[in-house]
Structure formats: structure tokens, C-alpha cells
Amino acid sequence: MKNIVVQKFGGTSLGSIERIKAVANTIKKTSLNEFPIIVVSAMSGETDKLINLAKDISDAPAERELDALLSTGEKVSAALLAMTLQSLGLQAKSFSAAQISMRTTSNHSKAKIIDINIDTIQASIDEACIPVITGFQGINDVGDVTTLGRGGSDTTAVAIAASIKAERCDIYTDVDGIYTTDPNLVPEAKKLRSITTEEMLELSGQGAKVMQVRAMEFANRYDVPIRVLSSFEEGEGTLITKEISSMEQPIITGIAMQDNQTKFTLHGVEDTPGNASGILGPIGDAGIDVDVIVQNVSVSGKTDFTFTIGNSDAKKAQKILESNLIKVNYDKLIVNNEIGKVSIVGVGMRSQSGVASIAFKTLAENNINIQMISTSEIKITLVISLKDMNLAVKSLHKAFNL
Ligand code: ADP
Ligand code: ASP
Ligand code: MG
């Protein structure tokens, strides 16, 4: 019995019939030694094209129909790839999310996977027929199609790898591994041989789109080893795994950035119990993620309360805020979407002090003002002006010798 590996191919990797043929050859090679289960994204640009078609009809298309529309991109690539594999003499079959019972929550465009019935996949394995599964989508409890958020095919792949107990999950993409920061923005970025799941979870959560953050949550919870590698060239890629020998561990592993953020500040909030829950409770209830949250120490009973939200949810959050603020005493609401977030990540921070002061000094030397600071055990996040973001990443990358 061959080891089972899940292999996911991203949009650029499947961007043309030539690319699909190249991918089919990679799969054929894998199938000599291992049994591949394939997860596909839509062909590159396809999801954006579908979103734009919907936007031509309405600014706010019905969420159910939008998901029905977006799910078609992955169906096209799954069928085309299955045909190509067949033309190479391999047994292969495409499967939609409904066919493999990929059950999700009902919140369209950001549904969460609840469970997968692996019977269909297992039956395909038993017949030695390679399953080619649509990424990015699921079905809710009434059978409607849902989608998992941009980049969601990564999550489909890791979730399938976890439920089928695959040997590992290969993420084939347009870069040849995980770098110290986005190599398309910082050419000096260096490729990493390995990175811990915990660090990649933080980097993804802070904007490194090479892995969707939900995929990293699954990898962390179910201990799925991941390899990120290029579908364009041969190479070892980067291994994302729970444990890495401490010899290999630098203090800082990588830097992530995020530009699509909005900062909300409630100025002059009366400092009384229940404010934070009064302000953020209704936003959380609407399923909107709030990221960096800062409340100042109050002077004469008043304080400033500031938090950030991803731009895609910002308008909805602002409406919710404004309709709930009657219960909160404050002077004014300031909304700023010209902000960027830069995050420095590394498990070495646990045992090494001084990382924050190097970061602050570096930004000061570059005349970059820090608007908010938030830290966790292995991460420092700095909210700055959007116009300073690229300079901040480049100078921090240099300051930490990455
Ligand atoms: P796919 O279509 O294969 O899912 P994505 O565009 O979602 O690919 O992710 C790959 C991209 O992630 C790269 O082209 C790169 O610009 C970006 N990226 C961001 N941070 C990193 C990082 N630390 N290492 C590698 N790539 C990164
Ligand atoms: N096609 C979807 C997107 O473009 C999902 C994915 O590629 O992972 O976001
Ligand atoms: Mg992606």
C-alpha cells in the first residue's frame, strides 16, 4: 500500500492548458511512489473575473448566489485536470465539495469546515482512481454551496489531509517555498528550509497569503506536515512542521504585512465597565474578526478605544458600530483605512529579549510613526501608516539580518 499524500495546486499553477498538462505530469511522477489526492484552485484570475461579473449586476450580490457562482471556477479546473490525467493513462475522477460531503457552516464567503465524509475519497483510493477535488468550497446543512474565503483551497487540502490521515500535504504554488517575507515585495527575502507550524500560523494570520490562516489552524490542530513548493521548478520547498531542531532556529523567522485594514478609534469614551463588550460584542456577533485592540489608560475618566478590522468587513462593522453606540458614551468616532500592519514573527522571541526595541529603533531611524503595538509570545505587530509599510518591512528585514 502506497503512502497517501494530498497535493494542492494553486491558481497560477493551473493558469492555462499548458500549465494543467505540466501539473498532470507532476502528479504522474508522484503516483509512481505515493498515492496522490488532488485539490485544485480555480485557474488564475478566474475567481476575480467571476466576482467582477457579479459586481456588474449588483454592488451587494446575494451571498448565496455569489458562492454558487464562485464555486464554478474550481469545478472547471478539477474537470480539466481529471481529463488531462486520463489522457496520460492514469485513472482519475473530479469531485465537487457536495460529492465528498464537505460540510461547512452557513456563513457564505467565509464558511468554516465542520466535517468531511471520507467514504467517497476512500472508495476512489480503493479503486486506485486519483480523486481531483474542488478546493475553496463546501455545502451547508441545507445543501447550498458555500465558500471558505480567498485562498481557501489551502484549507480544503489540509482538512482533507487531516481527515484521511495523509502522510503530508503538498502545497504547489508560484514561489518555491516560504520566504523570510514576501519575495515578490522584498527581493532580498530568503527561502527557509523549514518553519514551525506555530510561526506559519502567525505569519498567515498577519497577511502572508502563501498559506490561508485557516489551513494553518487545521495543520496545527491535527499535526499535518506541510510542504510548500513550486509547480514551475523542481526543489525541496519548505517544510512546515511542529518541531524543528533548536540549532536551526533563528530568533526572528519572518515578517508579514497586511495593507487592507481599517482602524476605528472611539475618542473620549467614558471609562466604565462593559464598554469593550458594548463596542466589540455586536461586531463579534456578526462574525467579524477584530484584530489589534488597544485601550488607553483613562485620564479624568475618559479613554480612547482603538481596533483594526479587515477592509472587506469594515463598512459592515461601521454600520453595526454606529447603530449600537447609543449605549456607549463617547466624543467621536475616527475611521482610517490608510493603515498597514507589519508583524515580526519568531519562536526565538520566547527566550530572547530586545526584539521590540530593535524594531522600534529601526522604524524611528526611518522616521516611521507607530500608531499601535500588539504583542504575543512569538509576534510583535506594529500598525503604521500605509505609505510607510514597504519601507518598514524592508528596513526591519535588514535590521534582523533575515
Ligand atoms: P496560489 O494561487 O498558489 O494559492 P497565492 O498567491 O495564494 O498562491 O500565494 C503565493 C504568494 O504568496 C506568493 O506569490 C507571494 O507573493 C506571497 N507570499 C506572501 N508572503 C510570503 C512568504 N513569506 N513566502 C512566500 N510567499 C509569500
Ligand atoms: N480560487 C479561490 C481564490 O482565488 C480559492 C483559492 O485559490 O484558494 O481565492
Ligand atoms: Mg493561495
Side-chain angles (χ1 to χ4, degrees):
M1 181 75 188
K2 287 177 183 168
N3 282 335
I4 292 170
V5 292
V6 173
Q7 300 196 306
K8 176 253 167 177
F9 294 89
T12 321
S13 306
L14 299 163
S16 64
I17 294 299
E18 276 61 46
R19 291 297 316 149
I20 292 177
K21 285 182 179 164
V23 162
N25 277 311
T26 304
I27 297 169
K28 187 170 183 180
K29 223 188 241 172
T30 304
S31 71
L32 297 175
N33 304 310
E34 298 173 302
F35 189 90
I37 293 178
I38 307 303
V39 173
V40 290
S41 289
M43 294 168 77
S44 60
E46 216 33 60
T47 308
D48 288 332
K49 209 157 57 191
L50 293 168
I51 290 174
N52 289 334
L53 283 176
K55 289 258 158 81
D56 283 346
I57 294 169
S58 159
D59 274 348
E63 290 181 326
R64 178 186 182 279
E65 304 317 323
L66 188 61
D67 274 0
L69 178 71
L70 297 194
S71 68
T72 62
E74 272 69 13
K75 286 187 181 148
V76 171
S77 27
L80 289 175
L81 181 56
M83 284 175 204
T84 316
L85 289 168
Q86 289 163 8
S87 73
L88 293 181
L90 297 167
Q91 285 198 75
K93 249 188 211 173
S94 66
F95 291 102
S96 69
Q99 285 172 300
I100 62 153
S101 305
M102 169 77 77
R103 283 202 322 123
T104 71
T105 55
S106 265
N107 39 345
H108 287 290
S109 83
K110 50 169 113 163
K112 287 191 177 166
I113 297 172
I114 299 170
D115 60 40
I116 307 165
N117 179 346
I118 60 165
D119 291 353
T120 310
I121 301 175
Q122 191 57 55
S124 188
I125 297 171
D126 294 344
E127 290 169 20
C129 178
I130 299 170
V132 183
I133 301 165
T134 54
F136 174 58
Q137 55 204 272
I139 46 164
N140 65 14
D141 53 3
V142 292
D144 288 339
V145 177
T146 56
T147 63
L148 310 179
R150 298 307 302 264
S153 301
D154 298 333
T155 305
T156 309
V158 179
I160 290 175
S163 54
I164 204 108
K165 298 193 175 52
E167 190 70 12
R168 51 163 214 286
C169 181
D170 289 341
I171 302 287
Y172 279 90
T173 183
D174 58 359
V175 282
D176 61 350
I178 307 288
Y179 279 69
T180 47
T181 192
D182 189 337
N184 287 321
L185 293 173
V186 182
E188 301 79 38
K190 291 191 197 74
K191 203 189 97 180
L192 300 166
R193 281 183 51 212
S194 54
I195 183 170
T196 64
T197 311
E198 195 185 8
E199 288 168 319
M200 196 61 227
L201 180 60
E202 292 279 20
L203 287 172
S204 298
Q206 296 303 321
K209 74 163 181 168
V210 60
M211 286 299 300
Q212 202 203 34
V213 65
R214 292 259 175 80
M216 291 315 307
E217 284 165 9
F218 270 101
N220 198 33
R221 198 172 328 140
Y222 298 103
D223 212 354
V224 181
I226 296 174
R227 209 164 52 135
V228 174
L229 63 175
S230 166
S231 66
F232 293 80
E233 53 190 277
E234 298 256 332
E236 293 291 296
T238 301
L239 193 67
I240 308 176
T241 162
K242 275 257 153 106
E243 296 295 333
I244 291 180
S245 89
S246 55
M247 299 281 290
E248 284 185 41
Q249 286 290 353
I251 299 164
I252 302 302
T253 305
I255 299 176
M257 67 202 95
Q258 225 167 11
D259 58 0
N260 48 356
Q261 304 287 301
T262 299
K263 185 177 82 169
F264 292 89
T265 302
L266 279 171
H267 179 61
V269 181
E270 208 176 82
D271 196 11
T272 49
N275 264 346
S277 107
I279 297 165
L280 297 180
I283 294 180
D285 292 344
I288 297 173
D289 289 332
V290 178
D291 192 19
V292 185
I293 306 170
V294 171
Q295 182 186 314
N296 289 345
V297 175
S298 64
V299 179
S300 60
K302 287 205 168 185
T303 182
D304 288 343
F305 192 93
T306 308
F307 53 93
T308 62
I309 285 181
N311 280 352
S312 56
D313 283 328
K315 277 211 177 99
K316 193 170 163 191
Q318 189 168 347
K319 265 194 199 146
I320 295 173
L321 251 182
E322 284 166 350
S323 57
N324 281 279
L325 282 178
I326 322 142
K327 297 164 216 150
V328 179
N329 262 328
Y330 70 103
D331 292 336
K332 77 176 165 195
L333 170 65
I334 306 157
V335 183
N336 177 359
N337 57 14
E338 292 293 310
I339 59 153
K341 263 186 350 182
V342 176
S343 301
I344 306 155
V345 172
V347 287
M349 268 190 227
R350 280 205 180 102
S351 51
Q352 192 84 18
S353 57
V355 172
S357 58
I358 295 173
F360 300 156
K361 187 164 163 266
T362 306
L363 294 194
E365 282 167 0
N366 285 281
N367 208 18
I368 296 172
N369 187 41
I370 304 171
Q371 301 179 18
M372 292 167 88
I373 302 167
S374 121
T375 59
S376 78
E377 240 190 334
I378 66 160
K379 177 190 76 187
I380 299 171
T381 296
L382 305 164
V383 175
I384 55 177
S385 172
L386 185 59
K387 66 174 174 28
D388 294 331
M389 201 176 67
N390 282 358
L391 176 62
V393 174
K394 283 189 178 154
S395 50
L396 289 168
H397 195 264
K398 198 160 164 205
F400 287 106
N401 295 318
L402 293 177

